[in-house]
Amino acid sequence: MNKISMVDLKRQYEKIKPEIDQAISDVINSTAFINGPAVKGFQDDLEKYLGISHVIPCANGTDALQVAMMALGIKPGDEVITTNFTFIATAEVIALLGYTPVVVDVDPDTFNIDPESVRRAITPKTRAIVPVHLFGQCADMEAMMEIASQHNLFVIEDACQAIGADYIFKNGSRKKAGTIGHVGCTSFFPSKNLGCYGDGGAIFTNDDELARQLRVVVNHGMTVRYYHDFIGVNSRLDSIQAAVLKVKLARLDDYAASRNRAAEYYDNAFRNHPKLRIPVRFERSNHVFHQYTLVTKDIDRNALQEFLASKEVPAMIYYPVPLHMQKAYLDPRYREGDFPVTEHLCRTVISLPMHTELDEDQLAHITASVLEFVNA
Ligand SMILES: *Cc1c(COP(=O)(O)O)cnc(C)c1O
C-alpha cells in the first residue's frame, strides 16, 4: 500500500508532470516572473470558471481577506462578525486592521456560521459579516445576504476551503462559492482544493468600482505610477504560481469528484455508527470536501488520533481551540461556555486523510483502522 498522507501532492503532480513542467519552464524562459502573461491567463480562466466579472490575484488567502476589508473602507473600531469555528486567518486580519472581531456560534450540522447568531450579534458598529465556507461546503449565503441588506452590511466570503463549490439558491439556481457576497476571497496554499506550488490567493467581485479599488490596494495604494492616494500593501501572485494554477484549474471539477468518491467510501463505512457522525450535507450547497470531518461521540478523540498514527493513518483536529479561547484573542466579553456548538465541535471532531489520490487499499485501511478503535 502507498504511504497515506493527509494530502498527497506528489502523486497528483506525477499525473500532470509534463504539463506542469512545461508551464513552469515557459515562465522561466520568458523571465516575466511578476505580472507576466501567465497571471492574466489564469485570471481570465478563473473569471470564466467562477462566472464573475473580476478576479484580482494576490499573494495568499490571508492577504485576500485583508485587502478586501481595506478596499471596502471599513474603519478602525468597526465591528466585523465572523464564525468562531475557523482557521485563525479570518479573525486575524480583522484584529490586525484595528477592527473588532465579533465571533458567533455555528450550525451543529454544517459547522458553518449560524444566521440567528449573526442577527443577535449586530450592533450599530457592525460593518461586515465574514462567512467561512468551512471544509468545502457553502455557508447559508441567502440568509447572510438578507441580513446584510437589512442592516446595510458588507458580506466578505472566505472561500479559502471551498473553491469550486456551488451554492444552490432556493429557486434552484447556482453560483460558485465566493461569488455571492460583495467580495469573495480564496487561497491557493498547496493543500487547498486548488493549490499552487507555493503561496497564492485571489479576490473576486462583480462590482467594477470595488475591483478598481482592490487593484489599487494590492499595488501599494497606487492610482497612477508613483502616485499613492491610499495606504496599500504589496500582494501579488507570481507568474510561476499562476502557470501551475492554470493547469490545475482545468482539473478542479475532476479533483472535486475524486474527493467526493473518497467521502462516499468513508460515508459507507461509518454511516449510522453510534459513535461517529458523518458530514451532514447542507441542502443549499454541494460539497467539495476540503476536509472529511467526523464528529465523535463517547470516545476519546485524541486516543483515536494516536491509535490511527500507530497504524500509519494521519488524522488532524481542525480546529482544537475556538477563536474566543485563543490567547491572543481573549476578550472580556466572551468566556468559556458562551459558544456551546463550537466548543463541542472543538472537543469532538477529527478529520481523516482527504485528497485527490486516495485509492481503495488506502481507504480500506483507514476505515478499518477507525472502526477497530471505535468498536473496541
Ligand atoms: C487557508 C485559509 C486561509 C488563509 O489562506 P493562506 O493562503 O494560508 O493565507 C484563510 N481562511 C481559511 C478558512 C483558510 O482555510
Side-chain angles (χ1 to χ4, degrees), residues 60-62 65 86-87 89-90 132 158 160-161 187 189 192 199-200 319:
N60 55 64
T62 309
L65 290 160
T86 180
F87 179 57
T90 322
V132 178
D158 181 340
C160 290
Q161 300 189 3
S187 164
F189 185 81
K192 302 287 160 119
D199 271 309
Y319 296 92

Side-chain angles (χ1 to χ4, degrees), residues 4-251:
I4 301 170
S5 34
M6 279 306 282
V7 179
D8 188 342
L9 296 172
K10 178 82 168 130
R11 288 210 297 154
Q12 188 190 62
Y13 165 60
E14 280 162 2
K15 289 185 182 165
I16 52 175
K17 185 177 183 336
E19 231 179 301
I20 292 276
D21 291 1
Q22 185 64 50
I24 292 175
S25 103
D26 286 350
V27 174
I28 296 173
N29 281 312
S30 76
T31 67
F33 296 116
I34 297 292
N35 288 335
V39 177
K40 183 72 168 68
F42 167 65
Q43 179 187 314
D44 290 348
D45 286 3
L46 188 57
E47 284 169 357
K48 230 172 275 154
Y49 175 85
L50 294 172
I52 192 131
S53 319
H54 306 281
V55 164
I56 295 93
C58 65
N60 55 64
T62 309
D63 274 9
L65 290 160
Q66 176 176 337
V67 168
M69 291 179 204
M70 291 171 74
L72 287 168
I74 302 173
K75 294 281 180 302
D78 289 344
E79 293 177 1
V80 177
I81 297 173
T82 193
T83 162
N84 203 344
F85 191 52
T86 180
F87 179 57
I88 198 67
T90 322
E92 181 178 62
V93 296
I94 299 170
L96 197 62
L97 290 166
Y99 318 150
T100 305
V102 173
V103 293
V104 301
D105 216 346
V106 295
D107 179 279
D109 288 338
T110 63
F111 314 142
N112 277 325
I113 193 164
D114 172 50
E116 275 321 300
S117 305
V118 172
R119 283 185 201 279
R120 284 196 298 273
I122 290 171
T123 76
K125 286 186 171 174
T126 309
R127 289 297 308 283
I129 311 169
V130 188
V132 178
H133 306 308
L134 201 72
F135 302 154
Q137 192 163 236
C138 294
D140 187 345
M141 285 307 295
E142 273 164 307
M144 291 304 122
M145 298 315 288
E146 189 187 308
I147 296 168
S149 79
Q150 280 165 358
H151 297 273
N152 203 19
L153 308 174
F154 295 120
V155 174
I156 302 158
E157 293 177 76
D158 181 340
C160 290
Q161 300 189 3
I163 192 150
D166 285 337
Y167 182 82
I168 306 161
F169 288 81
K170 291 194 181 94
N171 68 10
S173 65
R174 287 166 176 254
K175 276 189 184 172
K176 290 286 178 201
T179 68
I180 302 154
H182 300 90
V183 56
C185 301
T186 205
S187 164
F188 304 125
F189 185 81
S191 65
K192 302 287 160 119
N193 287 39
L194 178 59
C196 57
Y197 290 179
D199 271 309
I203 314 160
F204 326 132
T205 187
N206 277 315
D207 179 331
D208 298 344
E209 191 56 35
L210 179 59
R212 202 189 52 77
Q213 189 61 12
L214 289 163
R215 289 186 199 286
V216 167
V217 174
V218 293
N219 190 24
H220 300 290
M222 188 157 78
T223 41
V224 175
R225 182 157 263 202
Y226 305 128
Y227 289 78
H228 305 270
D229 293 1
F230 301 91
I231 295 173
V233 297
N234 169 24
S235 188
R236 294 184 284 241
L237 179 71
D238 71 66
S239 306
I240 288 180
Q241 300 310 332
V244 169
L245 288 165
K246 189 177 162 75
V247 172
K248 290 183 68 175
L249 176 60
R251 291 167 174 83

Side-chain angles (χ1 to χ4, degrees), residues 243-261:
V244 169
L245 288 165
K246 189 177 162 75
V247 172
K248 290 183 68 175
L249 176 60
R251 291 167 174 83
L252 183 58
D253 289 344
D254 290 340
Y255 287 158
S258 302
R259 289 169 176 274
N260 270 276
R261 279 194 294 276

